[in-house]
Amino acid sequence: MSRPGRYDVLVLGGGTAGCVLAARLSEDPGTSVCLVEAGPDYGPRDGGRWPAEMLDARILPLASHAWEKLDPDDRSQSRARIIGGCSSHNACVVLEGTPEDYDEWGPGWRYAEIAPYLDRAGRALGTRTFAPEELSPWHAAFAEAAGEDAIIHPVNADGAVRLNAAFAYLDPARGRPNLTILGDTVADRVLLDGDRATGALTSAGEIRAGVVVLASGAYGSPGVLLRSGIGPEQGLPVGQNLIDHVGVGIGWVATDRLQEETARFEARHPAFMGQVSVRGRSSICEEGTWDTFLFPALDPGYVISAAVFSMKPRSTGRVGLSGPEPEAPLAIDHGFFSDPSDVDVVTEAFEAIRELARSGPVAPYAAREHHPGAEVGAREHVLAAHRGFFHPVGTCAIGSVVDEAGRVHGIEGLRVADASVMPTIPRVNTNLSTAAVAERVAELVLADR
């Protein structure tokens, strides 16, 4: 590992986007690349150093390698502090949004333009789709009940091993002499010479570069920009327009049949937490598409639950600073339900999941509703217990903060290439779209060299 010095490109953030950028940029042997990640780099998949919980694709180890110690009942946000970022602890769901989702982003990002990058990212992540016989009894019941509205998940998993972005992208690149990976290195701020970025100040010292690319996510990237003095001072709404899918959970007591059938299933196949999503349509949904997801979950011990989400929410929030230090928790206000129409959409989705649980295929597995309880009204529960889906986007949006190539307005040599540039949210899990953004921006950076 080289010591901090000067590089052609400096990538700040080693999550999904950062891994994609580092790998693609270093494919050019004439481009020296430094990737900075605040959390540990456990090396390649076959190195034997990765913690077991981060490898296990069946579970969500959200409390492990987290940026902030949050209340365990607060499921509004989750930031992974580890190489691979949230791809190292997520549900491995690899879904593409609708063409209309990307068309909203404008020139350079319309579906016809981003589709090749979505495809490239999906292949790089080793995506496969669960076969019908791989579905647990719980998930198979929802798939049967939902019919054509059921989506059997494509996943980046090898058996029960999570194929995070570090394995998919960095492992093939680790031997390149032009790639330096700095783990346990916190990015503080971008170094500026007038209106040009010249590098970054990190916990390992100053790192100089010809181009700086922020890939710290929809929370972290605006944090770095704001600490750098880039934002309202330049008329840029950095940290505004925070969007996440918003929803609420429900839980049931598992029947004896569910436990017995799942035990027999697990003797042959891994039991994943999530394998199926169900598309739903609220009363305000546009014709021919969907705007809600119903997400059944199976946790260790055969704990059965589900969550429902508004997938095209209208509410927005913001990310700000609580202090000048890079380790200070960010001031995050999701603004959930700031648009009251989102309350109506989630309430309708919650009523739909209750109805689905009473259907013929699902009812034999779900006994009494223990959370929130059948006596609790849908709207009451939604208002009291809503949360995010861990899919934040929008805080360095294309158009308002960056241009169509990810370049920060008014600052030369500085780009953003992660979920924060998405001006609107796709109606699916966002990891694939994030990887596609980084794939495209990496290509644009090399084209400009």
Side-chain angles (χ1 to χ4, degrees), residues 13-16 19 36-43 49-51 53-55 61 64-67 79-89 164 166 183-184:
T16 293
C19 290
V36 169
E37 165 55 36
D41 174 14
Y42 289 111
R49 297 175 51 214
W50 276 79
E53 76 274 10
M54 308 310 287
L55 295 174
S64 180
H65 296 76
W67 259 93
R79 292 200 296 158
R81 185 167 174 157
I82 185 175
I83 200 74
C86 291
S87 75
S88 294
H89 74 188
N164 62 46
D184 296 310

Side-chain angles (χ1 to χ4, degrees), residues 176-190:
R176 296 172 187 163
N178 60 326
L179 175 61
T180 298
I181 303 172
L182 298 178
D184 296 310
T185 304
V186 178
D188 181 352
R189 64 194 65 213
V190 177

Side-chain angles (χ1 to χ4, degrees), residues 228-389:
S228 307
I230 299 171
E233 296 87 344
Q234 293 79 24
L236 301 179
V238 172
Q240 303 297 315
N241 192 50
L242 173 63
I243 313 168
D244 191 2
H245 303 132
V246 61
V248 74
I250 184 171
W252 301 269
V253 174
T255 63
D256 291 343
R257 177 176 169 180
L258 182 282
Q259 296 184 52
E260 292 164 2
E261 290 189 14
T262 306
R264 289 197 296 270
F265 168 84
E266 201 169 18
R268 305 185 308 274
H269 303 285
F272 283 77
M273 184 277 294
Q275 294 186 298
V276 172
S277 292
V278 178
R279 290 174 293 217
R281 298 161 189 84
S282 75
S283 57
I284 65 170
C285 183
E286 295 179 7
E287 197 70 30
T289 187
W290 71 90
D291 64 349
T292 65
F293 258 9
L294 286 59
F295 187 84
L298 175 69
D299 288 306
Y302 308 151
V303 175
I304 56 172
S305 65
V308 298
F309 294 96
S310 169
M311 301 304 286
K312 292 300 283 185
R314 301 180 180 185
S315 300
T316 62
R318 64 180 296 275
V319 175
L321 301 179
S322 67
E325 304 83 9
E327 296 282 3
L330 293 168
I332 300 172
D333 175 8
H334 288 92
F336 292 142
F337 293 166
S338 56
D339 188 312
S341 67
D342 292 338
V343 181
D344 298 331
V345 170
V346 177
T347 298
E348 290 179 29
F350 188 76
E351 292 168 342
I353 197 72
R354 277 180 162 169
E355 182 177 350
L356 206 58
R358 293 190 292 266
S359 68
V362 180
Y365 300 118
R368 176 178 57 86
E369 179 189 312
H370 69 79
H371 174 71
E375 72 282 359
V376 178
R379 191 177 186 87
E380 176 187 356
H381 178 52
V382 167
L383 289 171
H386 59 278
R387 63 177 181 84
F389 206 3

Side-chain angles (χ1 to χ4, degrees), residues 7-9 11 21-22 25-26 31-35 178-181:
Y7 301 88
D8 294 318
V9 184
V11 179
L21 289 158
L25 292 167
S26 63
T31 299
S32 59
V33 181
C34 180
L35 174 64
N178 60 326
L179 175 61
T180 298
I181 303 172

